[in-house]
Amino acid sequence: MKYILVTGGVISGIGKGIIASSIGTILKSCGLRVTAIKIDPYINIDAGTFSPYEHGEVFVLNDGGEVDLDLGNYERFLDINLYKDNNITTGKIYQHVINKERHGDYLGKTVQVVPHITDAVQEWVMNQAKVPVDDDRKEPQICLGGTIGDIEGMPFVEAFRQFQFKAKRENFCNIHVSLVPQPNATGEQKTKPTQNSVRALRGLGLSPDLIVCRSAKPIEMAVKEKISMFCHVEPEQVIFIHDVSSTYRVPILLEEQGIIKYFKQRLNLPIDDQPSDLLMKWKKMADRYERLLKVCSIALVGKYTKLSDCYASVFKALEHSALAINHKLDLMYIDSTELERSTEAENSVKYHQAWQKLCKADGILVPGGFGIRGTEGKLQAISWARTKKKPFLGVCLGMQLAVVEFARNCLNWKDANSTEFDPDTKKPVV
């Protein structure tokens, strides 16, 4: 088993999930079986109880596991089916160790972060890496994983510091994703944050084999050489990924910078230097995505519209559907509360802008949600879609409200409701 650890530096949300997914895609295109593990340092057992504004969407796996949205990226990019144990949290690890301690498995020893927590992390990773995730049910050959250096993430970093020696150098590789900012004042790309980030990682005992630099614009050669010199790596070990119009362009950027050749040598992989047909298909898809001329506009009427990650899977499903029929997706996020009469009284400009967006959409989607806030606005949008014969899709709560709206306005059951909002309703249609 080969292990590739992806760490992040400078800021969170830098794109570790997309980088890991893209590397997995490239290795899979070379004929290797790839699995993925996401490590989250928070103490929650899983992502199921989060507000969407905390970590974005909760991604639900086939086994019912409620996990971090990065596992959604892994599944979409790699075409695999992951399990709840592919998402490790501090809470899960501590719960596992405490249960063993209560059971008497440590035979009266003092239970400590090192070695008990760190050993538990390593065991979990080694066991989960062997679980088949492809349709052919064969054991994976490569395990990708990511974590970040928060204060509660230190036991994980220590676990991997030890693990690199257990797995041996030819089976373990560390990729560090960092930020190269470009302040408007000078317009110059700054390497200092990356230098500090790599230095901090080395201080914890992990030395990056590849440094992936994220930036707004393509990075100049002089910057690459500077990072190479100050971070103690060869220039070919510094990879640049600038902001692109589509995340599907990322595997292409990585492949163009010789990442296949590097992994082949570094991890002694039984692969060719050239990518297979799968990556060529991927390249054609990325090219097609950027050349789309027809536009399809969809109004997403939800409650958590300030952060697009809250509806990541809905967005991806719509984006892939639009791409399949050669259309560019224009997804308009509409806060459902802004469609309500109360908003018209408080802020009529917001109210009319929201309705204007809704009226010009080709289709309307009402996604899932929790609680009664904003449901009135969703009902208004559903009613508009039905009366104006606009294509409509209700997912989860959206589907419940579609039933409520029909019962109230077509069957004239004015007090029809879902028991989720009114347990004592006279007409419990859901």
Side-chain angles (χ1 to χ4, degrees):
M1 178 69 70
K2 309 287 182 184
Y3 298 91
I4 298 173
L5 174 69
V6 182
T7 53
V10 186
I11 57 169
S12 60
I14 199 168
K16 291 188 306 301
I18 296 292
I19 302 279
S21 304
S22 300
I23 287 166
T25 301
I26 291 169
L27 295 171
K28 195 164 182 179
S29 80
C30 295
L32 298 165
R33 293 187 299 279
V34 183
T35 186
I37 293 174
K38 173 76 198 295
I39 297 168
D40 286 302
Y42 45 70
I43 293 168
N44 303 57
I45 302 295
D46 60 34
T49 54
F50 281 143
S51 151
Y53 286 137
E54 286 285 316
H55 282 263
E57 173 193 77
V58 173
F59 189 75
V60 184
L61 299 168
N62 282 9
D63 66 355
E66 297 175 331
V67 294
D68 186 84
L69 58 82
D70 270 342
L71 276 86
N73 282 324
Y74 295 155
E75 286 204 349
R76 284 186 287 266
F77 271 68
L78 298 170
D79 193 19
I80 55 179
N81 281 316
L82 298 171
Y83 303 92
K84 61 173 178 277
D85 286 347
N86 286 75
N87 192 190
I88 305 174
T89 69
T90 297
K92 277 185 185 174
I93 293 290
Y94 275 80
Q95 190 180 53
H96 173 72
V97 170
I98 289 165
N99 287 344
K100 282 178 78 174
E101 185 272 333
R102 293 288 83 190
H103 194 250
D105 292 1
Y106 296 116
L107 304 174
K109 283 199 165 61
T110 306
V111 180
Q112 295 174 285
V113 172
V114 181
H116 301 103
I117 296 292
T118 51
D119 283 356
V121 172
Q122 293 172 56
E123 276 168 38
W124 193 305
V125 168
M126 285 191 290
N127 292 336
Q128 198 57 32
K130 292 176 186 158
V131 176
V133 289
D134 283 310
D135 293 338
D136 61 9
R137 312 311 295 156
K138 287 184 180 170
E139 191 177 300
Q141 297 160 290
I142 291 191
C143 178
L144 279 154
T147 186
I148 189 161
D150 291 333
I151 190 164
E152 65 263 66
M154 288 304 116
F156 293 109
V157 176
E158 172 58 22
F160 285 108
R161 185 195 69 75
Q162 297 170 19
F163 187 67
Q164 64 188 331
F165 302 110
K166 192 182 280 186
K168 305 251 182 325
R169 181 176 157 75
E170 66 272 17
N171 300 323
F172 183 88
C173 177
N174 178 208
I175 297 169
H176 190 62
V177 186
S178 184
L179 178 71
V180 176
Q182 192 167 357
N184 287 335
T186 59
E188 191 185 352
Q189 289 171 330
K190 297 292 183 186
T191 64
K192 191 69 75 185
T194 299
Q195 291 177 44
N196 290 339
S197 180
V198 171
R199 192 180 300 125
L201 189 68
R202 284 221 172 90
L204 298 168
L206 283 170
S207 199
D209 296 288
L210 280 178
I211 300 171
V212 178
C213 299
R214 288 279 293 105
S215 62
K217 296 193 174 99
I219 293 177
E220 295 141 23
M221 199 61 203
V223 176
K224 180 173 186 162
E225 285 163 0
K226 193 173 180 183
I227 291 169
S228 161
M229 182 169 67
F230 284 108
C231 294
H232 197 63
V233 291
E234 295 285 342
E236 58 266 27
Q237 289 170 267
V238 182
I239 305 278
F240 300 148
I241 302 292
H242 57 272
D243 291 352
V244 281
S245 59
S246 149
T247 51
Y248 308 119
R249 182 60 61 192
V250 177
I252 315 299
L253 289 176
L254 287 166
E255 191 270 323
E256 283 168 355
Q257 294 178 65
I259 205 163
I260 295 178
K261 191 179 171 193
Y262 178 78
F263 278 129
K264 184 183 175 183
Q265 291 169 344
R266 174 70 183 76
L267 293 174
N268 196 18
L269 298 174
I271 54 174
D272 295 328
D273 283 353
Q274 293 305 312
S276 69
D277 293 345
L278 181 65
L279 209 61
M280 295 314 293
K281 276 186 191 166
W282 192 278
K283 189 175 188 320
K284 280 178 189 161
M285 180 185 71
D287 289 342
R288 191 156 63 93
Y289 184 93
E290 285 164 14
R291 284 202 296 264
L292 298 171
L293 298 173
K294 293 179 186 168
V295 176
C296 176
S297 61
I298 303 292
L300 187 146
V301 183
K303 296 201 291 187
Y304 316 111
T305 52
K306 289 185 181 69
L307 182 67
S308 59
D309 268 359
C310 296
Y311 299 112
S313 290
V314 175
F315 169 65
K316 289 293 174 192
L318 289 168
E319 187 182 44
H320 294 169
S321 308
L323 184 59
I325 56 163
N326 294 316
H327 278 62
K328 203 181 207 62
L329 173 69
D330 172 24
L331 188 60
M332 300 182 288
Y333 292 97
I334 300 173
D335 189 329
S336 59
T337 55
E338 290 176 8
L339 298 170
E340 294 174 1
R341 288 281 176 208
S342 56
T343 303
E344 187 181 20
E346 291 163 21
N347 189 334
S348 62
V349 174
K350 235 181 202 175
Y351 174 80
H352 289 297
Q353 281 173 343
W355 272 102
Q356 206 171 6
K357 269 189 194 174
L358 189 75
C359 294
K360 68 179 188 190
D362 298 317
I364 295 167
L365 189 145
V366 178
F370 182 77
I372 201 152
R373 183 181 68 83
T375 51
E376 201 48 53
K378 289 184 178 184
L379 284 165
Q380 298 271 8
I382 292 163
S383 190
W384 165 265
R386 182 178 55 75
T387 52
K388 300 294 177 191
K389 298 201 169 11
K390 289 270 184 186
F392 165 80
L393 176 63
V395 179
C396 191
L397 176 66
M399 180 264 179
Q400 285 193 53
L401 292 175
V403 175
V404 170
E405 190 279 332
F406 183 83
R408 285 182 187 176
N409 298 329
C410 293
L411 305 180
N412 244 0
W413 297 353
K414 293 302 173 197
D415 51 355
N417 213 336
S418 163
T419 54
E420 186 178 330
F421 306 121
D422 182 4
D424 307 317
T425 178
K426 300 272 194 305
K427 291 271 195 281
V429 289
V430 183

